[in-house]
Amino acid sequence: QCVPDGHSCHNKESGELIPCCSSEHTCVRLQLLGSARCITTDPPTNLPSISPSSQPSSDPTESLSGSPSSIPSLQPTSPPTVSASPSFAPTAIHSARPSSEPTQCTPDGHSCSNEENGRLVPCCSTMHACVVLPGIGSARCITTEPPTASPSSLPSLSVSMEPSMLPSASPTGFPSSVSMEPSMLPSASPTGFPSSVPSSPQPSAEPSASPTITCVHCSNDPSTPMALHNRTCDEWRLTEHKCREQSPHWKKNKSCKRSCYWAGHPYDSDICCAN
């Protein structure tokens, strides 16, 4: 003869209210539902509940919440406000209607040069400035903060005008342009092939510790099957494999001798020139 918590405590046949089983609940008529339910009689807490209630409240709250709700309302609460200056970040949800006037500022990292009149459009963020980049030939909104002590994780948008003070930890993927002057210090290890020009126009004052080894011009003739298929030693992808294998036919004719030498598989003690 009692009603569990949260259930209807209204007898539809007699219209009487059935008492709740728990002493912390009471049978209350709910106008929105048109019935009565067993609900708690405890005073409301200052903090929101972990999960939303199953039914909306009959009256709105007296004070505004500190953070917006995760689900947008079906209708706007009030007319939109007009700010004196644009915001620095876009809204999470795009507006249903386009703005009456275009934005008069440039987002970070974008071009801030007006191609029609040549003027510079100001940046939206106060931490950025519209700067003309000589390497790109246009202006972009870039940060105005001082440079950091450590390098960034991503490369810069444009080429720097001056080299870095410290060498990079690893070599670049492609060689730099040829220097017009030799380096002041010798390399840590010798190069794989001799240079095309002498290091100095004058002979050295002291003799070298070991005699100079001169290279010889080695032939680079393909094998007979390669010649029949118009294959060259420099372009065929299996040349290095054949050099490593050194079959009796290749070893007898010294096929692709220069390519095999530079691949690390010489036939004899000859030092082949690079070309």
Side-chain angles (χ1 to χ4, degrees):
Q1 300 298 323
C2 65
V3 178
D5 306 338
H7 288 255
S8 175
C9 53
H10 180 259
N11 194 326
K12 296 182 179 179
E13 297 179 357
S14 60
E16 297 179 354
L17 299 180
I18 305 174
C20 302
C21 297
S22 174
S23 59
E24 297 180 354
H25 290 71
T26 183
C27 188
V28 179
R29 293 184 182 274
L30 303 176
Q31 298 178 358
L32 294 177
L33 299 178
S35 63
R37 287 183 180 272
C38 283
I39 61 176
T40 179
T41 56
D42 293 338
T45 60
N46 295 327
L47 300 177
S49 58
I50 298 178
S51 59
S53 57
S54 58
Q55 301 295 332
S57 58
S58 57
D59 297 327
T61 55
E62 296 180 357
S63 59
L64 300 177
S65 60
S67 58
S69 59
S70 58
I71 303 176
S73 58
L74 299 178
Q75 296 179 353
T77 55
S78 60
T81 58
V82 179
S83 60
S85 59
S87 61
F88 294 150
T91 56
I93 304 176
H94 61 79
S95 58
R97 294 183 301 173
S99 57
S100 58
E101 297 180 359
T103 305
Q104 299 298 325
C105 65
T106 305
D108 305 338
H110 289 253
S111 175
C112 52
S113 178
N114 193 327
E115 298 179 356
E116 297 180 358
N117 54 24
R119 297 180 179 178
L120 300 181
V121 183
C123 303
C124 298
S125 174
T126 57
M127 301 296 294
H128 289 70
C130 187
V131 178
V132 178
L133 303 177
I136 299 180
S138 63
R140 289 183 180 271
C141 284
I142 60 176
T143 180
T144 56
E145 297 178 352
T148 57
S150 58
S152 59
S153 58
L154 299 176
S156 56
L157 296 175
S158 61
V159 180
S160 59
M161 301 303 296
E162 298 180 359
S164 58
M165 299 299 294
L166 299 177
S168 56
S170 58
T172 56
F174 53 91
S176 59
S177 59
V178 179
S179 174
M180 299 303 295
E181 298 180 359
S183 59
M184 299 301 295
L185 299 177
S187 57
S189 58
T191 56
F193 52 90
S195 60
S196 57
V197 294
S199 58
S200 174
Q202 302 295 332
S204 58
E206 298 179 359
S208 58
S210 59
T212 304
I213 301 176
T214 58
C215 62
V216 296
H217 179 74
C218 300
S219 63
N220 209 32
D221 299 330
S223 63
T224 303
M226 291 176 60
L228 293 176
H229 291 84
N230 296 325
R231 293 168 178 167
T232 61
C233 299
D234 294 331
E235 298 178 354
W236 194 34
R237 60 184 181 86
L238 296 179
T239 300
E240 185 178 355
H241 172 72
K242 290 292 185 179
C243 291
R244 188 186 308 110
E245 189 179 47
Q246 288 196 6
S247 63
H249 176 74
W250 273 54
K251 195 170 185 179
K252 178 182 178 181
N253 299 322
K254 296 184 178 180
S255 302
C256 302
K257 181 177 179 179
R258 177 165 55 86
S259 297
C260 291
Y261 174 82
W262 287 105
H265 308 287
Y267 290 110
D268 46 34
S269 59
D270 292 343
I271 300 177
C272 297
C273 297
N275 48 41

